[in-house]
Amino acid sequence: MSEEPSRPPPRRGFEPLPEWVGPTTRLVHGARRPELNAGAVVPPIYQTSTFHYPASHSESAAHGSVYLYTRNLNPSHEGPAEIIRQLEGAETARLFGSGMGAITTTLLSLLQPGDEVVALEGLYGGSLGILRGLLPKFGVRVRWVSDEAAHEPEEAVGSSARLVFLESPTNPLLRVHDIARWAQAAHRAGALLLVDNTFATPINQRPIPLGADLVVHSVTKYLGGHSDLVGGVLAGSKELVDPIDPSANVGAALDPFAAFLLDRSLKTLSLRMARHNENGRRVAQALSPHPELARVHYPGRASPEEEAIARRQMQGRSGMVSLSLARGASAIPKFLGRLRFVHVAASLGGVESLASVPGETSHRHLSATERRTRGIDDGLVRVSLGIEDPEDLIRDLTEALDALR
Ligand SMILES: Cc1ncc(COP(=O)(O)O)c(C=O)c1O
């Protein structure tokens, strides 16, 4: 597709729900339009790359056909995008073929040569890679802010900043940053705030009502929730997100089948998050005194200030816990090898518990020294607790730690 005419906005046709509707009801009923889907309760998968295109554009609009080519928009994208839009409290949301697709497309679309990005160091390794490797090639400067300096956003955001990019809780140390305060500091400097909300999910934290301009997710994680799809989403105002539309030509489109899986998964998001939150809290509490652990990282644990921020801005802390093994890197293979219910795999947010070593997965592109400087010690194992029974997970992890003695 070389020439793509500008299209009328999609007529989404979703019945608006009353304001008072709770998040779980919203997840199940927030994107109904059976009349457009032969009455189907579960929308079909529109597994097509392209759409019939009436002779003239006005004819196309008259037929209600707003779809042209799946790289730009497919009806299977619209339900899950609508649900995420509502949950995040955004004006609009757009799906992408991966979290990195959403992040890269957003950064490339918003930034220009000479712009400065203020980036917090506790970002996902893939985002660090784009900020360090790709953006400087296009004349975009990045100003890095450490987790410690992140407590003073007003000092970190200068008048040359165009965009502030943060994640909270961070990956993999689960540090918590004050989104409302960062939003204020960014806006005072005339910059936008972009928040990666993947670890928290909109069930636990809503950056847009806290002041963020844009929210991204890897929907591969909790929103997809079953470790069977890869996708991303960007949510925010129409003014910011709509111009990113043509940039879908970057090619980071979500496959309709993945969109269908996401639609199915979102219906249970709040139920799953309740269990993930419980498992995270109980495992962090139960493992903390274990002598084989130098430290248990959990959102809010780093300091009383972070605990206070977490209480203010989070409704739950997620199922993420990172464990620093007291014996360091040499103990990792034995520890991982003893786990029965925690699979050793990259990624997070699925119904099954997963453990990974950031130095070998998400943060492998940093040197060992860079990792240590950022507090990612050699014995760190990141655990994404699934929805299994908390007692079984505590037992599994405790027995694997006991085996190190
Ligand atoms: C916090 C966070 N953001 C973004 C990404 C990238 O998402 P994806 O793997 O869907 O490209 C990841 C992936 O691990 C992540 O953990």
Side-chain angles (χ1 to χ4, degrees):
M1 301 292 297
S2 52
E3 286 274 300
E4 276 155 20
S6 63
R7 311 286 295 179
R11 281 194 289 168
R12 297 190 154 195
F14 297 115
E15 263 169 59
L17 295 179
E19 277 300 308
W20 47 262
V21 166
T24 309
T25 309
R26 201 166 278 286
L27 284 161
V28 177
H29 296 289
R32 282 194 308 195
R33 50 177 190 186
E35 66 289 356
L36 296 185
N37 291 318
V41 169
V42 175
I45 312 168
Y46 287 88
Q47 195 69 39
T48 181
S49 61
T50 193
F51 298 84
H52 287 289
Y53 185 58
S56 78
H57 203 42
S58 49
E59 206 186 319
S60 157
H63 281 87
S65 162
V66 294
Y67 310 104
L68 180 71
Y69 190 56
T70 284
R71 170 150 48 71
N72 306 101
L73 186 67
N74 175 295
S76 299
H77 295 166
E78 292 181 310
E82 172 61 14
I83 294 285
I84 295 169
R85 179 194 79 72
Q86 291 180 32
L87 286 185
E88 289 288 2
E91 245 175 40
T92 191
R94 179 180 177 83
L95 298 179
F96 290 85
S98 67
M100 285 317 303
I103 291 167
T104 309
T105 308
T106 303
L107 295 175
L108 288 178
S109 305
L110 286 177
L111 298 168
Q112 298 193 13
D115 281 347
E116 182 182 89
V117 177
V118 174
L120 273 68
E121 282 183 350
L123 287 170
Y124 167 63
S127 302
L128 297 178
I130 297 295
L131 292 166
R132 287 156 57 116
L134 188 68
L135 293 186
K137 287 190 197 170
F138 299 103
V140 173
R141 283 171 292 123
V142 181
R143 180 164 172 188
W144 293 101
V145 181
S146 69
D147 282 335
E148 301 319 320
H151 290 304
E152 298 295 340
E154 299 76 15
E155 308 279 305
V157 193
S159 56
S160 49
R162 160 86 178 117
L163 181 79
V164 177
F165 185 13
L166 68 81
E167 216 172 292
S168 183
T170 63
N171 185 3
L173 296 175
L174 308 171
R175 301 290 299 264
V176 173
H177 298 306
D178 189 333
I179 295 173
R181 199 166 151 197
W182 272 98
Q184 267 178 13
H187 295 160
R188 197 171 305 142
L192 298 170
L193 176 63
L194 167 65
V195 175
D196 184 334
N197 203 27
T198 300
F199 272 38
T201 82
I203 298 297
N204 286 331
Q205 174 174 282
R206 298 173 81 221
I208 289 175
L210 290 169
D213 300 283
L214 292 163
V215 166
V216 281
H217 284 271
S218 166
V219 305
T220 315
K221 312 299 192 266
Y222 283 116
L223 303 195
H226 297 70
S227 308
D228 56 6
L229 68 91
V230 173
V233 70
L234 170 70
S237 66
K238 283 177 188 280
E239 189 190 348
L240 288 172
V241 176
D242 285 352
I244 290 175
D245 231 22
S247 320
N249 288 329
V250 168
L254 188 69
D255 182 76
F257 182 56
F260 168 82
L261 290 175
L262 176 62
D263 197 45
R264 169 221 54 186
S265 300
L266 285 169
K267 297 189 169 89
T268 56
L269 179 66
S270 72
L271 301 181
R272 288 186 282 110
M273 288 319 296
R275 179 58 82 96
H276 287 299
N277 291 342
E278 182 193 352
N279 283 353
R281 185 178 51 76
R282 288 191 50 188
V283 165
Q285 204 171 31
L287 296 191
S288 289
H290 201 288
E292 289 296 328
L293 289 176
R295 195 152 175 201
V296 174
H297 304 263
Y298 179 69
R301 274 261 176 117
S303 66
E305 291 76 23
E306 290 192 29
E307 174 60 27
I309 300 167
R311 277 176 195 270
R312 265 202 314 275
Q313 74 185 21
M314 300 185 79
Q315 281 76 56
R317 311 268 171 116
S318 87
M320 299 303 298
V321 173
S322 292
L323 307 173
S324 290
L325 300 186
R327 290 174 207 263
S330 61
I332 290 180
K334 192 167 180 190
F335 173 64
L336 296 181
R338 290 294 296 246
L339 294 169
R340 184 196 298 232
F341 300 124
V342 183
H343 295 270
V344 181
S347 202
L348 62 112
V351 291
E352 59 292 290
S353 294
L354 300 178
S356 64
V357 180
E360 293 169 1
T361 55
S362 58
H363 289 70
R364 67 185 180 283
H365 302 301
L366 298 184
S367 70
T369 316
E370 281 175 308
R371 283 197 297 272
R372 280 180 213 132
T373 316
R374 287 163 190 228
I376 304 173
D377 61 82
D378 298 346
L380 191 74
V381 177
R382 190 189 77 187
V383 185
S384 164
L385 298 155
I387 60 165
E388 301 92 338
D389 294 304
E391 299 78 13
D392 296 340
L393 293 175
I394 291 168
R395 184 169 180 162
D396 196 21
L397 289 157
T398 306
E399 285 178 2
L401 288 170
D402 290 347
L404 301 178
R405 285 191 184 143

